[in-house]
Amino acid sequence: MSQVVRTPRVFSGIQPSGGLTLGNYLGAMKRFVDMQDEGIETIYCMVDLHAITVWQDPDKLRHATRELCAGYIASGLDPEKSILFNQSQVAEHTQMAWIFNCVARMGWMQRMTQFKDKAGKNAQNASLGLFGYPALMAADILVYHTTRVPVGEDQKQHLELTRDIAAKFNHDYGVDFFPITEPVIEGAATRVMSLRDGSKKMSKSDPSDMSRINLTDDADTIAKKIRKAKTDPEPLPSEVEGLAERPEARNLINIYAALNEQSVEQVMADVGGRAFSEFKPMLAELAVAKMSPISGEMARLMQDTAEIDRILTSGAARARTIAAPILKQTYEIVGMVGA
Ligand code: TYM
């Protein structure tokens, strides 16, 4: 088979499995918007099929999928410029995932730390879908011949697996068909940490709501959570090296830098030597200014869920026009009759 011409293409996804956090926003959504505005083709998915690898109440799943779409748009994604859709409306994802289930090796999947974390001690009771999840994620990416995937740090291992699957498929069938995708994990906030414990990732599943900023939090709540964020007694250092043993300080500085679109070095030059009692109000003001318009706009968009559904359905139709021919070619390569 002749070499495929690679169109630069961005794909990423977020699970509609509950609330969105500042971690999702800075690690993913804000960067999705930056890439959209670079003029590359951008495809952003609400990965509902991933969400059901752990139990989801159906009504809550529907709500979370629409709310995620509202969050995407409120953050600056434009459904005309980017393709926005929910995964289950494009069957090519799961069809491709089956092929990849047959390419990926058990040993590769067993090394996935996210499975180990999510399955916990009772792995025998985890769903088969949770175990196979990274093959579906590889399918999400490769069914569009995606070249770049913006994600937070925690998805790095899954993206390495995606590259392994692409390379093994190409090797086994003697083709140069799937691109070896570039993970894009960059910026000051690729790993936003809990506001209560700088060694833990900020997560929607943390039992303490004070550990995270939710995209739906109002201005007062955002300011209160920052005021109460865990810190240490020292003033802020002026050099990045001074943050090495200070996870909470580092996290707040990273958040500030990402929200203010500055480098960590620039922020440190401005705030070095200040006490947290001075820095926290600066951060709270910035976070409120950047985040509360998003929650307001999300609430407004959620008043018209029919419009959201229309956006998702029309995005799915556009996504299918890219995915269907790539799946068809894959079937031909694999030897499916009638493809
Ligand atoms: P999910 O839904 O857990 O998270 C969505 C995105 O948000 C990023 N993120 C964070 N970034 C920085 N700090 C944090 N505390 C933080 N928490 C979450 C994640 O890194 C991610 O980029 N498997 C994926 C969803 C997925 C996907 C894909 C992503 C399915 N198919 C294809 C890219 C391409 C996941 O569970 O993300």
Side-chain angles (χ1 to χ4, degrees):
M1 164 160 303
S2 62
Q3 169 135 14
V4 184
V5 179
R6 310 267 181 232
T7 322
R9 190 174 279 145
V10 172
F11 177 95
S12 198
I14 298 183
Q15 293 193 54
S17 52
L20 291 162
T21 70
L22 182 68
N24 296 126
Y25 176 71
L26 293 177
M29 299 162 91
K30 186 170 185 305
R31 298 172 50 236
F32 296 178
V33 178
D34 294 341
M35 286 185 151
Q36 163 187 273
D37 296 339
E38 280 170 21
I40 319 168
E41 185 171 27
T42 42
I43 308 173
Y44 298 122
C45 189
M46 285 121 260
V47 289
D48 47 10
L49 294 168
H50 279 275
I52 59 163
T53 55
V54 296
W55 167 254
Q56 303 293 331
D57 173 85
D59 284 334
K60 287 190 182 146
L61 177 61
R62 264 184 287 272
H63 177 83
T65 303
R66 291 173 176 138
E67 193 173 69
L68 176 53
C69 184
Y72 276 160
I73 297 170
S75 304
L77 290 180
D78 174 349
E80 299 295 321
K81 287 194 200 162
S82 291
I83 300 179
L84 306 183
F85 70 104
N86 56 315
Q87 188 184 25
S88 57
Q89 289 206 65
V90 181
E92 283 79 1
H93 288 237
T94 42
Q95 291 173 289
M96 188 66 98
W98 181 258
I99 305 281
F100 290 167
N101 278 342
C102 302
V103 173
R105 306 288 92 185
M106 288 292 285
W108 300 359
M109 308 302 266
Q110 275 159 349
R111 282 197 289 276
M112 294 295 114
T113 54
Q114 186 168 304
F115 175 76
K116 291 184 205 162
D117 291 347
K118 285 201 170 180
K121 290 197 186 72
N122 199 1
Q124 290 299 312
N125 201 33
S127 73
L128 185 56
L130 189 66
F131 186 70
Y133 174 123
L136 177 58
M137 178 159 162
D140 299 337
I141 294 167
L142 294 172
V143 81
Y144 299 99
H145 274 179
T146 300
T147 54
R148 301 176 74 197
V149 185
V151 283
E153 178 72 40
D154 60 352
Q155 295 301 314
K156 192 165 179 230
Q157 195 185 31
H158 288 159
L159 291 186
E160 281 160 6
L161 184 93
T162 301
R163 292 160 68 92
D164 290 345
I165 289 177
K168 182 164 164 58
F169 181 98
N170 289 346
H171 173 267
D172 288 356
Y173 291 99
V175 291
D176 181 15
F177 185 63
F178 287 115
I180 306 302
T181 304
E182 211 45 62
V184 189
I185 303 173
E186 56 193 32
T190 54
R191 190 169 175 80
V192 178
M193 308 308 277
S194 156
L195 298 178
R196 307 302 299 162
D197 176 351
S199 68
K200 269 175 40 189
K201 195 182 71 165
M202 182 181 285
S203 157
K204 52 194 157 201
S205 54
D206 193 302
S208 163
D209 194 55
M210 292 301 283
S211 71
R212 63 181 160 261
I213 292 174
N214 303 302
L215 247 59
T216 47
D217 284 345
D218 62 21
D220 287 348
T221 312
I222 296 172
K224 184 175 87 189
K225 286 179 176 175
I226 291 178
R227 237 182 7 255
K228 300 221 158 162
K230 186 176 170 206
T231 50
D232 58 43
E234 302 295 318
L236 288 163
S238 307
E239 306 291 330
V240 177
E241 297 71 53
L243 293 173
E245 305 295 321
R246 300 177 62 186
E248 283 83 19
R250 186 171 58 226
N251 189 36
L252 296 184
I253 295 270
N254 285 347
I255 292 173
Y256 190 97
L259 283 172
N260 214 24
E261 299 181 3
Q262 282 181 300
S263 69
V264 171
E265 288 77 9
Q266 281 170 318
V267 175
M268 311 253 345
D270 290 348
V271 304
R274 294 188 198 224
F276 280 105
S277 56
E278 241 184 302
F279 176 62
K280 277 182 167 179
M282 290 168 64
L283 177 59
E285 193 186 329
L286 177 65
V288 167
K290 299 278 179 177
M291 304 308 294
S292 65
I294 297 178
S295 61
E297 180 63 2
M298 272 172 80
R300 191 188 69 77
L301 291 164
M302 282 302 280
Q303 284 173 0
D304 188 358
T305 53
E307 173 61 9
I308 290 182
D309 293 1
R310 197 196 58 72
I311 289 168
L312 293 176
T313 303
S314 110
R318 284 166 70 198
R320 225 174 290 120
T321 63
I322 305 171
I326 293 175
L327 181 75
K328 185 173 187 307
Q329 280 174 283
T330 310
Y331 274 10
E332 275 164 15
I333 293 168
V334 171
M336 301 291 162
V337 171

